[in-house]
Amino acid sequence: MGNAIENALFDERLAQFQQWQKTPWGRLRYSVVEANVARHLGDRPLRVLDVAGGNGRDAVPIAARGHHVTVLDSAPVSLAMAQRLAADEGVAERIEIREGDAHDVPELFAGQEFDLLLCHNLLQYVADPAVVIRGLVKVLKPGGSLSVVGPNAYAVPLEAAVREFDLDAALRAVTARTKQVPVYGRDVAVLTADQIGADLRDSGLEIVGHYGVINICNVIADNDVKSDPEFFARLEKLELALADRMPYPLTARNFHLVGQRPG
């Protein structure tokens, strides 16, 4: 993220991304992350920065809880969609839209501090996640939290073996450092909670939450049954129950870490 080619790609594929968001697994990704983040919101209104917030699907539910959210992204069409979503959901007054790159957060928000930073599905697209994390922490209040979601490398061999019955692909995935993202037609880095957790700690944060996002849905081969409302309701209940129960977060499709800056 942060160059014209990638910005154009994210906006060009926005329609495909929105279709993914409507799938059962896309809906689970947002509902589970929202539930995880809610554990760290507290009772008072917070000032939140959603870095690479795209079309606002993470930001709007937080604004609906009474918090003020600034959505930062370098893709202008996605930002326009976030603004429309905020208006449709009646939270436009609590959503601010800013165009810019994650690497420039310290400069874009110089002299400002946030209670909560969201960095969801960004770090796999940057050359050095540690650099981005260090920059974000510069605008985090003492006592504030940074929420990070990323693709879990440990899930890739499991999905290939259990869902696809492709043991050769599973074996290759054990040492692979990238995986294909069909929505964008490109490879992205796969990460681990250990790796990103170390980056958070090196930036002075304490890990106060470790969750898994999508533990079961990704290894169920029958996609059609997931669209059945009754099945989906039970699946979502199970995903929410497993999100913070070890060892399930270790092999979930996405890891979700929350780091807190000492007060």
Side-chain angles (χ1 to χ4, degrees):
M1 288 189 169
N3 62 64
I5 294 175
E6 290 217 326
N7 295 348
L9 174 64
F10 288 115
D11 275 345
E12 176 187 320
R13 299 294 182 96
L14 180 57
Q16 291 96 318
F17 181 58
Q18 288 177 291
Q19 286 301 117
W20 174 86
Q21 289 176 319
K22 295 175 183 177
T23 64
W25 40 97
R27 290 158 56 201
L28 284 172
R29 181 280 192 219
Y30 286 99
S31 65
V32 174
V33 168
E34 180 185 356
N36 296 342
V37 170
R39 303 172 191 235
H40 302 272
L41 291 177
D43 298 325
R44 64 180 179 85
L46 302 178
R47 190 161 182 241
V48 182
L49 175 61
D50 186 1
V51 181
N55 64 344
R57 285 291 304 275
D58 280 319
V60 166
I62 292 178
R65 293 174 180 266
H67 307 285
H68 182 276
V69 187
T70 299
V71 180
L72 176 73
D73 203 281
S74 53
V77 178
S78 298
L79 284 175
M81 183 64 69
Q83 202 157 28
R84 288 195 292 273
L85 178 62
D88 291 344
E89 297 298 323
V91 297
E93 73 283 0
R94 290 196 292 275
I95 293 283
E96 178 184 350
I97 301 299
R98 291 284 302 272
E99 186 174 341
D101 184 76
H103 291 87
D104 300 326
V105 163
E107 292 74 33
L108 292 169
F109 300 98
Q112 302 181 54
E113 290 185 318
F114 294 88
D115 301 288
L116 173 65
L117 303 178
L118 307 182
C119 181
H120 295 171
N121 294 315
L122 164 67
L123 297 180
Q124 65 267 36
Y125 294 100
V126 304
D128 191 341
V131 170
V132 173
I133 289 170
R134 285 197 299 271
L136 299 185
V137 171
K138 291 179 181 179
V139 299
L140 186 62
K141 284 183 178 179
S145 299
L146 169 58
S147 171
V148 178
V149 175
N152 182 13
Y154 300 145
V156 183
L158 181 65
E159 289 186 31
V162 176
R163 179 187 171 90
E164 306 296 337
F165 297 102
D166 191 337
L167 300 185
D168 294 331
L171 184 59
R172 291 192 298 271
V174 170
T175 55
R177 293 295 175 261
T178 64
K179 74 171 185 176
Q180 174 73 200
V181 177
V183 169
Y184 295 119
R186 57 165 288 181
D187 288 343
V188 301
V190 286
L191 310 169
T192 68
D194 289 340
Q195 171 192 347
I196 300 304
D199 291 338
L200 294 175
R201 285 187 287 268
D202 287 345
S203 294
L205 304 185
E206 176 190 359
I207 306 300
V208 295
H210 181 184
Y211 309 100
V213 181
I214 307 184
N215 291 280
I216 301 299
C217 180
N218 57 317
V219 292
I220 298 176
D222 185 349
N223 282 339
D224 292 337
V225 72
K226 301 169 192 176
S227 296
D228 175 77
E230 191 272 338
F231 183 88
F232 179 83
R234 290 190 291 130
L235 178 60
E236 183 177 45
K237 185 176 180 179
L238 177 60
E239 294 284 8
L240 291 168
L242 296 179
D244 68 335
R245 285 173 167 79
M246 286 295 176
Y248 302 103
L250 300 179
T251 55
R253 168 167 280 190
N254 298 285
F255 65 83
H256 186 182
L257 296 176
V258 178
Q260 186 174 53
R261 184 176 179 182

